[in-house]
Amino acid sequence: MTRKQRSALRGWGGVATMALACVLTALFTLLPLSRSGPEGPIGTGGPGLGVTRPAAADNCTPESAVRSLRPSKDEGATVKEIKERKDKPNKLIVGVDQNSYRWGYRNPSTGDLEGFDIDLVRAIADALLGDPDAVVYRAVPTNQRVQAIESGQVDMVVRTMTITCERLKEVAFSTAYFETGQQLLVPNDSEIKGYDASLKGKRLCTATGSTAESELERQSFGADVSTKVPNQLDCLVRLQLGEVDAVVTDSALAAGQAAQDPTVKLVGEPFTTEYYGVAMSKESPDLVRRVNQVLVDYRESDWGKAYEKWLADDLKNVDGPPKPKYRED
Amino acid sequence: MTDPHSGSAAPRRRTAFAEGAEQLRAAATTEPGRLRIIGALLALLVVAFGAVTAWQTSERAAAADDVIERSQPLTSDAAAIYVSLADANTAAASGFLAEGQEPPAVRDRYEDDIATAARKLTTAAANSKGSGTASAEIAKLNALLPEYAERIETARTYNRQGLPLGGAYLRNANDLMQTEMLPAAKELYDAEKERLGADYDAAKSYPWAAIALGLLALAALVWAQRRNYRRTNRVFNLGLVTATGTAAAVLLWLLAGHTLAFTALGDSYDHGIRSLNVLNDARISTLQARSNENLTLVARGAVTVPDDGRPNAGQDKYDVDYRARMRELGDGGVDRAGMGTLGEALHHADDETGRAPVEKAMAAVEEWQQRHEAAREADTQGDYEKALDRVIGDDDATGESFDRADKALEEAVEHEQQDFRGAAEDGRGAMTGLPVGAAAVAVLGAAGAVLGIGRRLSEYR
């Protein structure tokens, strides 16, 4: 056989392998769908077929983004699949944070995860599988949240994740379970009064790639915004070391910071409005509806308990959970 | 000349000089006079040869002494500062991962490292007067060390209270260590290495002046004896023969001594210093890889490589750093391409006792890499507890492999230190007695030359 023929054959082998991989991917992604009942988006391809679903709404607005699917008490195909799957049956696999105090963090003295987000995860597991402990927690870094859902590594992500139009192109969100907004965290004796002219000449700290960073690029009131750190908590370290005068982050996370240092406080009104939602796969609308039903019940009483337990001390002026908003379809 | 006095002084000096020259010219017309001049010149040459030999060899002996007693200890102190800083950082991160109270052994290791660094900085400061780079880096490290220790204490305090702020402080202290302290320690280490190199060069440089003078003295002695033979038909003049013998002996001693010293010092550099350099680099890489491995678990995905088109964007920053450090250590082979510092250390190790610990370290690092993969997989799967157990646990944890690698490298450093000391002391020993001996023998030779010429002179009385 000549070299050319050999390489040609190898080339065809590669194509055949890829084709086989495509078929397999399609099979695996479509199989669960074929059992997903009337709500299942039959006919929409998985990634293997290279067919992308149209974006949730091309004319997405912050207003429309928070609208989710109507709640349902029915146990959909996805929940059945979770109960019966070979790997980790009867366990909800959830992506969480391990570093956000009061939200999702690992207590170093017990090694356990705890916080507001974790309580919500337990409530969801209890409703879906009848056991609040039937959870496999997976720590996902901020920038891996979307990918973890898309790749099926996790069933959902409950991790102070803001509902945005950008993210809706790749994942589905539940209804909002918490309202927050960008705010300033300052030492108790600071002259800074809020997101206003009192920031002039002050040094502010933000996390790289955060909403706070882009908001300050828009309007910084003459503040020095050069301090950018990998994680919002690093800002509190800088504040304590006297390297900056204030931290800009969302009020929910700022509350987690204030809870660790009694000499700092939140000032001014939040100057943006953001909502946290539970992120799930776009391929599992039944799961989104089921979780929305859990949230309906959760808002009744457990939400308030969790708020009292984790956040009330440092995050005042919260009237309760945000009202759920649903899409028309 | 602008000096007003020189106008009157110059003619008088010229008169005296002219007088001397006239006397010399007069003496050179008679044979006894010529002999006197030859005798004086020969004695002068031999004495000068002895003096220059004594001077040049004592200079080289002093440089060899500096290598052994000053610059090498300072270099190894600088390496110790570098290593203990990196080790302290590793221990701090390890202690952090342990749930609840920090294990006493880890705490002690950290305390010892900080104390060692502080102590060595003090000695280095006392010994590095006059060296700009070294002093500047030492001052910088002296200022940063307490700041670093303070941040680690803050991190511990918050961690004991169960607050994630502790982890953020630890990462902050790590940043200080990585971006300011370790680079300063490396600068200091490099400056000391440079000084060591300069001392080596001084000790090994050829004593050309002494050799040239020796050859000149010998040639003059041979010429004088040949002249003697032509004029008197006498073959041997005892005094001149003695002078020739002693000058030749000193020259041989000088050549042999210096060659021996040159070879032994070269050996001590090739087999000692070069090995020590790569071994120290390997230790630093090992320690850094371990801190990054620990920090991956401390940071829990909180720090990723920024998403701005850089390679590895979006990946855990500490894991990316860990892999870079492992690459520095090499791929376990001794091929040029991927040999890394460990492969190089193995290449430089010149005997079985030198190779054994390096091979041990290589095996430990390989095992570590395999265990690390398992730990990482558990972590990315979200099984933090399992990942933690694989990193700091009791059974087959990466920590165990790291400890083994670190111990083996320490052992290798000790061995090479002995190798260095042995060879360098041989080098210094080869020049022992040479300065004093050369001076004494040269005086003897000069006396011989004077006596030999005097013997001929007496025949004219």
Side-chain angles (χ1 to χ4, degrees):
Chain A
M1 224 196 294
T2 68
R3 176 175 299 180
K4 202 171 177 183
Q5 277 171 320
R6 253 206 314 270
S7 71
L9 201 74
R10 243 200 320 265
W12 280 111
V15 171
T17 318
M18 282 193 311
L20 185 68
C22 283
V23 170
L24 283 178
T25 321
L27 274 178
F28 280 118
T29 44
L30 287 174
L31 265 180
L33 297 182
S34 63
R35 288 189 276 125
S36 60
E39 284 161 355
I42 293 175
T44 59
L49 290 179
V51 181
T52 43
R53 276 167 61 86
D58 283 321
N59 48 359
C60 175
T61 61
E63 220 299 295
S64 73
V66 293
R67 294 186 179 278
S68 183
L69 297 173
R70 294 205 168 274
S72 161
K73 286 196 165 72
D74 299 339
E75 179 176 295
T78 311
V79 177
K80 281 204 186 82
E81 161 72 18
I82 289 169
K83 286 182 173 172
E84 289 158 13
R85 64 181 156 208
K86 282 214 176 66
D87 188 35
K88 316 243 192 306
N90 256 323
K91 296 260 186 194
L92 198 59
I93 307 175
V94 189
V96 294
D97 195 352
Q98 302 194 81
N99 275 328
S100 285
Y101 193 50
R102 300 282 161 99
W103 285 93
Y105 100 107
R106 193 175 290 277
N107 188 334
S109 55
T110 59
D112 290 335
L113 285 161
E114 56 187 50
F116 189 91
D117 276 344
I118 306 298
D119 279 2
L120 177 58
V121 171
R122 291 169 59 82
I124 294 172
D126 196 16
L128 266 56
L129 304 171
D131 177 3
D133 291 319
V135 184
V136 175
Y137 292 101
R138 290 201 170 154
V140 285
T142 310
N143 60 1
Q144 300 291 309
R145 292 183 292 198
V146 168
Q147 203 217 323
I149 294 168
E150 281 186 321
S151 67
Q153 271 183 294
V154 296
D155 298 322
M156 59 185 67
V157 166
V158 185
R159 192 189 183 288
T160 55
M161 193 167 175
T162 307
I163 303 169
T164 64
C165 288
E166 194 64 33
R167 287 176 184 152
L168 272 170
K169 289 177 190 158
E170 289 150 334
V171 296
F173 278 101
S174 70
T175 52
Y177 71 88
F178 205 88
E179 183 186 325
T180 174
Q182 298 299 315
Q183 221 172 343
L184 282 126
L185 187 76
V186 296
N188 284 341
D189 57 357
S190 173
E191 299 160 358
I192 296 172
K193 294 186 179 64
Y195 187 59
D196 54 31
S198 65
L199 288 176
K200 192 170 172 21
K202 302 292 182 189
R203 296 161 301 169
L204 306 183
C205 179
T206 54
T208 312
S210 63
T211 315
E213 186 188 12
S214 45
E215 285 296 317
L216 285 178
E217 263 163 35
R218 214 173 41 76
Q219 169 63 279
S220 68
F221 294 105
D224 171 5
V225 296
S226 59
T227 308
K228 288 168 189 176
V229 295
N231 187 281
Q232 43 93 18
L233 193 54
D234 297 333
C235 278
L236 183 55
V237 174
R238 301 299 182 98
L239 188 71
Q240 290 189 347
L241 292 175
E243 291 171 21
V244 295
D245 302 310
V247 177
V248 187
T249 185
D250 78 49
S251 57
L253 296 175
Q257 295 191 11
Q260 300 180 63
D261 182 352
T263 68
V264 299
K265 61 175 184 190
L266 285 160
V267 290
E269 289 297 309
F271 55 93
T272 60
T273 307
E274 291 156 38
Y275 296 96
Y276 291 162
V278 178
M280 287 157 281
S281 168
K282 292 174 85 95
E283 313 296 340
S284 322
D286 58 320
L287 185 64
V288 177
R289 290 180 195 277
R290 187 74 190 87
V291 167
N292 280 345
Q293 181 61 47
V294 177
L295 283 171
V296 168
D297 302 332
Y298 192 72
R299 287 190 187 90
E300 295 298 315
S301 68
D302 291 344
W303 192 97
K305 283 184 206 152
Y307 170 73
E308 280 301 320
K309 184 174 179 191
W310 301 112
L311 304 168
D313 286 349
D314 302 285
L315 194 60
K316 317 272 190 228
N317 309 327
V318 174
D319 301 332
K323 296 213 159 34
K325 290 179 179 166
Y326 300 108
R327 280 183 2 211
E328 293 312 314
D329 51 342
Chain B
M1 281 233 181
T2 50
D3 189 356
H5 299 290
S6 60
S8 57
R12 227 184 302 146
R13 265 214 306 271
R14 273 181 69 182
T15 321
F17 179 76
E19 230 168 72
E22 204 169 309
Q23 272 176 358
L24 209 63
R25 224 180 351 253
T29 53
T30 62
E31 179 63 11
R34 280 199 283 270
L35 281 175
R36 276 203 184 90
I37 294 170
I38 291 169
L41 280 177
L42 285 180
L44 193 71
L45 265 177
V46 177
V47 167
F49 168 50
V52 170
T53 305
W55 163 56
Q56 288 203 313
T57 50
S58 64
E59 219 177 43
R60 275 152 192 75
D65 214 53
D66 276 351
V67 164
I68 298 170
E69 307 298 345
R70 196 194 63 169
S71 49
Q72 204 285 326
L74 279 179
T75 309
S76 89
D77 272 5
I81 292 170
Y82 197 8
V83 168
S84 31
L85 288 178
D87 198 68
N89 202 41
T90 309
S94 298
F96 223 81
L97 287 177
E99 273 154 25
Q101 274 293 337
E102 200 171 347
V106 179
R107 172 103 207 173
D108 288 350
R109 184 166 176 170
Y110 169 82
E111 302 285 353
D112 284 353
D113 285 330
I114 294 291
T116 306
R119 199 177 57 243
K120 300 263 177 194
L121 274 172
T122 316
T123 29
N127 285 310
S128 71
K129 292 194 181 82
S131 163
T133 329
S135 306
E137 302 304 336
I138 290 166
K140 188 173 176 190
L141 285 171
N142 264 327
L144 289 175
L145 191 61
E147 205 172 312
Y148 171 81
E150 196 186 306
R151 289 187 197 180
I152 291 289
E153 288 317 315
T154 312
R156 281 195 178 123
T157 309
Y158 278 119
N159 198 41
R160 268 199 295 274
Q161 293 169 29
L163 301 175
L165 190 54
Y169 260 100
L170 183 75
R171 286 188 285 110
N172 184 284
N174 175 66
D175 269 0
L176 184 68
M177 181 60 86
Q178 303 289 349
T179 58
E180 304 209 23
M181 298 172 75
L182 288 180
K186 188 170 173 9
E187 286 280 311
L188 174 64
Y189 178 45
D190 287 346
E192 299 293 8
K193 275 203 282 196
E194 208 167 290
R195 186 147 66 162
L196 175 64
D199 281 345
Y200 258 108
D201 287 346
K204 284 167 73 178
S205 71
Y206 249 79
W208 289 118
I211 293 169
L213 265 176
L215 290 175
L216 194 65
L218 276 180
L221 282 165
V222 168
W223 171 82
Q225 285 170 85
R226 198 176 138 81
R227 182 179 182 277
N228 218 1
Y229 168 71
R230 279 206 179 141
R231 304 212 166 191
T232 65
N233 239 1
R234 288 198 186 90
V235 183
F236 292 116
N237 174 304
L238 194 60
L240 288 179
V241 168
T242 313
T244 314
T246 50
V250 170
L251 187 61
L252 277 179
W253 187 5
L254 170 67
L255 286 173
H258 187 266
T259 308
L260 275 181
F262 188 90
T263 319
L265 285 173
D267 265 5
S268 77
Y269 191 85
D270 291 342
H271 299 312
I273 300 296
R274 224 184 271 172
S275 293
L276 281 172
N277 286 348
V278 287
L279 283 172
N280 278 322
D281 288 348
R283 273 195 90 183
I284 298 288
S285 302
T286 317
L287 289 165
Q288 297 271 68
R290 180 63 181 167
S291 354
N292 280 310
E293 184 177 48
N294 288 337
L295 282 164
T296 309
L297 290 179
V298 171
R300 296 166 189 151
V303 183
T304 48
V305 178
D307 231 336
D308 52 6
R310 260 181 259 193
N312 303 316
Q315 293 187 41
D316 190 287
K317 181 183 163 290
Y318 298 111
D319 195 46
V320 170
D321 286 352
Y322 159 88
R323 290 201 300 269
R325 297 304 178 174
M326 277 295 176
R327 268 197 302 281
E328 287 170 3
L329 288 172
D331 58 6
V334 285
D335 306 332
R336 267 285 154 211
M339 83 195 305
T341 42
L342 281 178
E344 232 176 290
L346 193 65
H347 177 77
H348 287 309
D350 52 327
D351 55 7
E352 206 32 61
T353 34
R355 270 193 294 273
V358 181
E359 275 164 357
K360 227 192 283 175
M362 277 177 142
V365 167
E366 205 184 318
E367 179 191 64
W368 177 6
Q369 287 170 334
Q370 284 161 5
R371 290 177 176 183
H372 177 84
E373 285 316 309
R376 280 308 295 154
E377 202 184 312
D379 196 24
T380 48
Q381 292 280 313
D383 198 342
Y384 183 79
E385 291 299 312
K386 190 169 164 191
L388 194 63
D389 199 49
R390 295 230 155 127
V391 170
I392 58 160
D394 296 325
D395 295 322
D396 301 337
T398 56
E400 205 184 296
S401 315
F402 157 74
D403 280 341
R404 217 171 314 135
D406 192 47
K407 281 242 166 52
L409 285 175
E410 204 179 334
E411 214 176 287
V413 165
E414 251 160 54
H415 171 80
E416 294 301 338
Q417 186 77 37
Q418 279 168 8
D419 259 18
F420 155 78
R421 185 113 200 156
E425 273 172 358
D426 283 354
R428 182 171 60 172
M431 283 190 278
T432 311
L434 193 51
V436 178
V441 175
V443 169
L444 190 71
V450 170
L451 285 176
I453 297 292
R455 174 106 180 82
R456 279 277 295 121
L457 262 177
S458 62
E459 288 165 11
Y460 288 88
R461 297 252 161 90

